[in-house]
Short mmCIF file of all heavy atoms in Angstrom, two decimals:
data_model
loop_
_atom_site.label_atom_id
_atom_site.label_comp_id
_atom_site.label_asym_id
_atom_site.label_seq_id
_atom_site.Cartn_x
_atom_site.Cartn_y
_atom_site.Cartn_z
N LEU A 308 10.59 11.23 0.52
CA LEU A 308 11.21 12.13 1.45
C LEU A 308 11.30 11.52 2.89
O LEU A 308 12.12 11.94 3.61
CB LEU A 308 10.60 13.41 1.42
CG LEU A 308 10.79 14.30 0.12
CD1 LEU A 308 10.25 15.68 0.24
CD2 LEU A 308 12.16 14.19 -0.36
N LYS A 309 10.29 10.69 3.23
CA LYS A 309 10.18 10.19 4.62
C LYS A 309 10.85 8.68 4.66
O LYS A 309 11.74 8.40 5.46
CB LYS A 309 8.80 10.16 5.14
CG LYS A 309 8.32 11.58 5.39
CD LYS A 309 6.88 11.51 6.03
CE LYS A 309 6.35 12.86 6.35
NZ LYS A 309 7.09 13.48 7.63
N VAL A 310 10.29 7.90 3.72
CA VAL A 310 10.77 6.46 3.76
C VAL A 310 12.00 6.31 3.11
O VAL A 310 12.88 5.59 3.62
CB VAL A 310 9.53 5.53 3.22
CG1 VAL A 310 10.12 4.09 3.09
CG2 VAL A 310 8.32 5.61 3.97
N LEU A 311 12.11 6.61 1.85
CA LEU A 311 13.30 6.32 1.12
C LEU A 311 14.52 6.96 1.62
O LEU A 311 15.72 6.51 1.67
CB LEU A 311 13.17 6.69 -0.44
CG LEU A 311 12.14 5.80 -1.02
CD1 LEU A 311 12.12 6.29 -2.64
CD2 LEU A 311 12.49 4.40 -1.03
N TYR A 312 14.42 8.25 2.14
CA TYR A 312 15.45 8.89 2.80
C TYR A 312 15.97 8.24 3.99
O TYR A 312 17.17 8.10 4.24
CB TYR A 312 15.06 10.50 3.09
CG TYR A 312 16.13 11.25 3.80
CD1 TYR A 312 17.19 11.76 3.03
CD2 TYR A 312 16.07 11.40 5.17
CE1 TYR A 312 18.21 12.44 3.61
CE2 TYR A 312 17.03 12.24 5.86
CZ TYR A 312 18.03 12.70 5.08
OH TYR A 312 19.06 13.44 5.71
N ALA A 313 14.93 7.78 4.76
CA ALA A 313 15.35 7.02 5.99
C ALA A 313 16.00 5.70 5.76
O ALA A 313 17.02 5.31 6.38
CB ALA A 313 14.17 6.84 6.94
N THR A 314 15.55 5.02 4.73
CA THR A 314 16.16 3.74 4.48
C THR A 314 17.42 3.74 3.77
O THR A 314 18.32 2.99 3.79
CB THR A 314 15.13 2.81 3.69
OG1 THR A 314 14.79 3.51 2.41
CG2 THR A 314 13.85 2.58 4.53
N CYS A 315 17.48 4.70 2.83
CA CYS A 315 18.71 4.84 1.98
C CYS A 315 19.93 5.55 2.70
O CYS A 315 21.08 5.25 2.63
CB CYS A 315 18.49 5.54 0.73
SG CYS A 315 17.40 4.61 -0.52
N HIS A 316 19.52 6.62 3.54
CA HIS A 316 20.68 7.41 4.09
C HIS A 316 20.65 7.36 5.66
O HIS A 316 21.69 6.87 6.18
CB HIS A 316 20.35 8.95 3.74
CG HIS A 316 21.23 9.83 4.47
ND1 HIS A 316 22.69 9.98 4.16
CD2 HIS A 316 20.97 10.75 5.39
CE1 HIS A 316 23.14 10.76 4.93
NE2 HIS A 316 22.27 11.32 5.75
N SER A 317 19.48 7.42 6.43
CA SER A 317 19.51 7.55 7.70
C SER A 317 19.86 6.20 8.39
O SER A 317 20.46 6.18 9.59
CB SER A 317 18.17 8.09 8.20
OG SER A 317 17.84 9.37 7.72
N SER A 318 19.47 5.12 7.70
CA SER A 318 19.66 3.76 8.24
C SER A 318 21.23 3.52 8.51
O SER A 318 21.61 2.96 9.46
CB SER A 318 19.07 2.75 7.31
OG SER A 318 19.74 2.85 6.00
N LEU A 319 21.98 4.09 7.58
CA LEU A 319 23.49 3.79 7.71
C LEU A 319 24.10 4.74 8.73
O LEU A 319 25.16 4.49 9.34
CB LEU A 319 24.06 4.06 6.34
CG LEU A 319 23.80 3.08 5.21
CD1 LEU A 319 24.41 3.47 3.89
CD2 LEU A 319 24.30 1.70 5.57
N GLN A 320 23.42 5.85 9.03
CA GLN A 320 23.79 6.69 10.06
C GLN A 320 23.66 6.06 11.41
O GLN A 320 24.47 6.21 12.30
CB GLN A 320 23.20 8.04 9.98
CG GLN A 320 23.16 8.76 8.57
CD GLN A 320 24.54 8.88 8.14
OE1 GLN A 320 25.46 9.54 8.80
NE2 GLN A 320 24.87 8.50 6.88
N SER A 321 22.52 5.40 11.61
CA SER A 321 22.20 4.69 12.92
C SER A 321 22.80 3.40 13.07
O SER A 321 23.20 2.96 14.18
CB SER A 321 20.69 4.69 13.02
OG SER A 321 20.12 5.97 13.06
N VAL A 322 22.77 2.58 11.90
CA VAL A 322 23.27 1.28 12.01
C VAL A 322 24.22 1.05 10.68
O VAL A 322 23.77 0.59 9.72
CB VAL A 322 22.20 0.21 11.78
CG1 VAL A 322 22.71 -1.17 12.14
CG2 VAL A 322 21.14 0.56 12.89
N PRO A 323 25.47 1.42 10.93
CA PRO A 323 26.42 1.38 9.78
C PRO A 323 26.57 0.02 8.96
O PRO A 323 26.72 0.01 7.72
CB PRO A 323 27.73 1.67 10.27
CG PRO A 323 27.43 2.56 11.52
CD PRO A 323 26.28 1.84 12.02
N ASP A 324 26.29 -1.02 9.68
CA ASP A 324 26.45 -2.41 9.03
C ASP A 324 25.06 -3.02 8.94
O ASP A 324 24.87 -4.24 9.17
CB ASP A 324 27.48 -3.28 9.69
CG ASP A 324 26.99 -3.55 11.21
OD1 ASP A 324 26.23 -2.64 11.77
OD2 ASP A 324 27.60 -4.45 11.81
N ILE A 325 24.02 -2.29 8.75
CA ILE A 325 22.68 -2.60 8.68
C ILE A 325 22.53 -3.88 7.66
O ILE A 325 22.90 -3.54 6.52
CB ILE A 325 21.66 -1.58 8.46
CG1 ILE A 325 20.25 -2.10 8.66
CG2 ILE A 325 21.70 -1.01 7.04
CD1 ILE A 325 19.27 -0.87 8.77
N PRO A 326 21.93 -5.02 7.99
CA PRO A 326 21.76 -6.05 7.09
C PRO A 326 20.78 -5.89 5.96
O PRO A 326 19.80 -5.26 6.19
CB PRO A 326 21.38 -7.26 7.98
CG PRO A 326 20.77 -6.54 9.16
CD PRO A 326 21.33 -5.32 9.39
N TYR A 327 21.08 -6.47 4.95
CA TYR A 327 20.25 -6.44 3.73
C TYR A 327 19.83 -5.10 3.17
O TYR A 327 18.71 -4.79 2.73
CB TYR A 327 19.09 -7.37 3.95
CG TYR A 327 19.31 -8.81 3.68
CD1 TYR A 327 20.12 -9.58 4.43
CD2 TYR A 327 18.63 -9.48 2.58
CE1 TYR A 327 20.48 -10.80 4.20
CE2 TYR A 327 18.81 -10.84 2.36
CZ TYR A 327 19.73 -11.45 3.20
OH TYR A 327 20.08 -12.82 2.91
N TYR A 328 20.76 -4.13 3.22
CA TYR A 328 20.49 -2.79 2.91
C TYR A 328 20.08 -2.59 1.47
O TYR A 328 19.04 -1.90 1.07
CB TYR A 328 21.73 -1.93 3.10
CG TYR A 328 21.85 -0.52 2.53
CD1 TYR A 328 21.24 0.50 3.31
CD2 TYR A 328 22.32 -0.27 1.37
CE1 TYR A 328 21.30 1.79 2.82
CE2 TYR A 328 22.39 1.00 0.88
CZ TYR A 328 21.84 2.08 1.61
OH TYR A 328 21.75 3.33 1.10
N PHE A 329 20.79 -3.27 0.49
CA PHE A 329 20.48 -3.05 -0.80
C PHE A 329 19.26 -3.79 -1.21
O PHE A 329 18.51 -3.40 -2.17
CB PHE A 329 21.72 -3.57 -1.77
CG PHE A 329 22.93 -2.62 -1.61
CD1 PHE A 329 23.90 -3.00 -0.92
CD2 PHE A 329 22.86 -1.41 -2.26
CE1 PHE A 329 25.05 -2.19 -0.68
CE2 PHE A 329 24.00 -0.65 -2.17
CZ PHE A 329 25.06 -0.87 -1.50
N PHE A 330 18.91 -4.93 -0.57
CA PHE A 330 17.73 -5.75 -0.90
C PHE A 330 16.47 -4.98 -0.60
O PHE A 330 15.60 -4.88 -1.44
CB PHE A 330 17.74 -6.93 -0.04
CG PHE A 330 16.50 -7.81 -0.15
CD1 PHE A 330 16.17 -8.65 -1.17
CD2 PHE A 330 15.60 -7.79 0.94
CE1 PHE A 330 15.07 -9.24 -1.32
CE2 PHE A 330 14.46 -8.55 0.89
CZ PHE A 330 14.21 -9.36 -0.29
N PHE A 331 16.46 -4.41 0.59
CA PHE A 331 15.23 -3.71 0.97
C PHE A 331 15.02 -2.40 0.32
O PHE A 331 13.99 -2.03 -0.24
CB PHE A 331 15.23 -3.42 2.46
CG PHE A 331 14.86 -4.51 3.31
CD1 PHE A 331 15.88 -5.28 4.02
CD2 PHE A 331 13.56 -5.00 3.47
CE1 PHE A 331 15.57 -6.37 4.83
CE2 PHE A 331 13.20 -6.04 4.12
CZ PHE A 331 14.27 -6.82 4.85
N ASN A 332 16.10 -1.66 -0.05
CA ASN A 332 15.94 -0.45 -0.76
C ASN A 332 15.59 -0.74 -2.23
O ASN A 332 14.92 0.17 -2.87
CB ASN A 332 17.20 0.39 -0.63
CG ASN A 332 17.38 1.13 0.63
OD1 ASN A 332 16.60 2.00 0.89
ND2 ASN A 332 18.38 0.78 1.41
N THR A 333 16.06 -1.81 -2.88
CA THR A 333 15.66 -2.16 -4.17
C THR A 333 14.18 -2.39 -4.30
O THR A 333 13.46 -1.92 -5.18
CB THR A 333 16.38 -3.39 -4.66
OG1 THR A 333 17.91 -3.13 -4.78
CG2 THR A 333 16.00 -3.77 -6.01
N LEU A 334 13.60 -3.25 -3.25
CA LEU A 334 12.16 -3.41 -3.24
C LEU A 334 11.41 -2.14 -3.07
O LEU A 334 10.40 -1.92 -3.77
CB LEU A 334 11.85 -4.33 -2.17
CG LEU A 334 12.36 -5.80 -2.28
CD1 LEU A 334 11.91 -6.69 -1.18
CD2 LEU A 334 11.71 -6.41 -3.65
#
Side-chain angles (χ1 to χ4, degrees):
L308 296 186
K309 289 181 177 290
V310 173
L311 294 182
Y312 179 77
T314 59
C315 293
H316 174 68
S317 303
S318 60
L319 294 175
Q320 310 302 310
S321 299
V322 189
D324 57 346
I325 191 166
Y327 276 66
Y328 169 85
F329 291 104
F330 171 77
F331 283 103
N332 281 299
T333 298
L334 290 180

